[in-house]
Structures are given as C-alpha cells and as structure tokens.
Amino acid sequence: EEAEPLRIIISGAPASGKGTQCELITQKYGLVHISAGDLLRAEIDLGSENGRLAKEYMERGELVPDEILVKMVKEALSKQNGWLLDGYPRSSSQAKSLERFGFKPDLFILLEVPEEILVERVIGRRLDPVTGKIYHLKYSLPETQEIAARLTQRFDDTEEKVKLRLKTHNRNVRDVLSMYRDITVKIKGDCSKEEVFGQIDKALTKLVQQKKISSSNP
Ligand code: AP5
C-alpha cells in the first residue's frame, strides 16, 4: 500500500538551520525539498529580468515581491505530491495564495534560535557549489581538502545583511504563524544539528502514524 504523501513547511529566522534540517529530512523521509531562496538564486543564475529584480531585494534583506515568487513556488509545488517547503510563506499574502491554489500543509515546523547565535552562523556558513551541501567553518567542517578548496559564500551572508534579513523576519513572522497555529510544532534550534533533527524526526514520525490511522478509517 502506498504511503500518504507528507506536506511540510519549515520556517525560522535566517540561519536558524532550515536548509541543514531539510538535508536530514529528505534523507530519511524522501520528500522533495523546495526552497524559496534556492528558487530565487537559480533565477539569478539564469540571468533573467526576474532574477535581476529579485537580487535587488535580496541584497537589502527584504521580501521579494509576490509577482516574482508566488508563481515560481506554485509551479514547483504542482509537480510534486508530497513536499518540504523551506522559507515560504513569509507573509500572509503568500500563505493565502497557497490556500487559494489548494496546497494544504500537514505540519508547520518553526525553528527557534536566539538572535545572538544567528549572526555567527551566517558569517561562518559556506556552500559546496558541486553538491549544494551546507557547511560551517566551526560547526560543520567539510569532509575533504578538495571540498574545502571549492567552498563559496552567499552574497547576502554578511553581518550587516543578516541584520536586515532578521528585521524582515521579525516583522512578518507573527502574521504567518497565526495562519498555521493548529499545525505548528516549535523546535528548539540552538543545539547540535543531530539534536535538532531528533525533535523534528519525532514530530514527523507522529504525523506519519496519524496519517496511517486516518487513511485506514476513512
Ligand atoms: P533564504 O535563502 O531562505 O535565506 P534565509 O531565510 O535567510 O535562511 P538561510 O538560508 O540563510 O538559513 P537556513 O535557516 O537555511 O540555515 P542553514 O541551514 O543554512 O532567503 C534569502 C532571501 O531570499 C531573503 O532574504 C529574501 O530576500 C528572499 N526570499 C526567500 N524566501 C522568500 C519569500 N518567501 N518571500 C519573499 N522573499 C523571499 O544554517 C546556517 C549555518 O548554520 C550553516 O553554516 C550551518 O552549517 C550552520 N548550522 C545549522 N544548524 C546548526 C546547528 N544546529 N548548530 C550549529 N550550526 C548549525
């Protein structure tokens, strides 16, 4: 019997660990990871007009306008049955458009990390352009010299820019949370990535169980 697909949203401040946890969640649960930030960076790399516009907002740590992003996310979600949506929605208008398109999440994961930790996480973050894997110069070192030599940094990963991103996050988070109150699980995000995943894994295991029960008692 085919398992019911899971539809998960993961949210949290900049550098709270969304991308890192998505790597671990997809490994165990086989969900398709759809990251709003990654979609936008791919658009920038294409060199399109939308990409050029989006980058202006990202440089300032502001939300990219709905006209650019809403359609991109809709197209990405439409191709999938189950999904793990990262960094979206970040406003009530985005949440409402998801609802309008019929994308209904089962669970809303909120990673909670104290602000003073976020800046250090951002500044030490490095990315492997070949595998897309996320590293940190102190907390998550590359496995080999070869990987270490090719690591890159994101254009918005400076202390100044993360503070702007954090302001935007703080301005919007309450609106989004209020729309998902019934399905929100708050995760303590200031421990090791394995410990953070342990908490998420527990919540997902429970969700899978509940889905099994409700699909056998329609
Ligand atoms: P986006 O790319 O989503 O950036 P963000 O929200 O700022 O989040 P990050 O990707 O920086 O962090 P993360 O939570 O994934 O942390 P990570 O796992 O890498 O968005 C970028 C921009 O795009 C926005 O500013 C906005 O302009 C635009 N945008 C995006 N979505 C939008 C939307 N919906 N609407 C409008 N505009 C939108 O971890 C960070 C570091 O910490 C890494 O180095 C990692 O190794 C380390 N780390 C992770 N977990 C731990 C741990 N437990 N202990 C120690 N270190 C850890």
Side-chain angles (χ1 to χ4, degrees), residues 155-190:
F155 67 83
D156 56 351
D157 273 356
T158 62
E159 179 161 0
E160 177 208 355
K161 283 181 180 151
V162 72
K163 285 184 174 157
L164 298 172
R165 282 152 61 197
L166 194 54
K167 258 194 191 155
T168 302
H169 170 78
N170 289 338
R171 206 180 307 128
N172 293 304
V173 64
R174 224 160 306 138
D175 281 356
V176 175
L177 268 178
S178 72
M179 300 198 55
Y180 297 110
R181 197 144 283 149
D182 302 345
I183 56 162
T184 296
V185 52
K186 292 187 177 172
I187 301 291
K188 188 175 146 14
D190 57 342

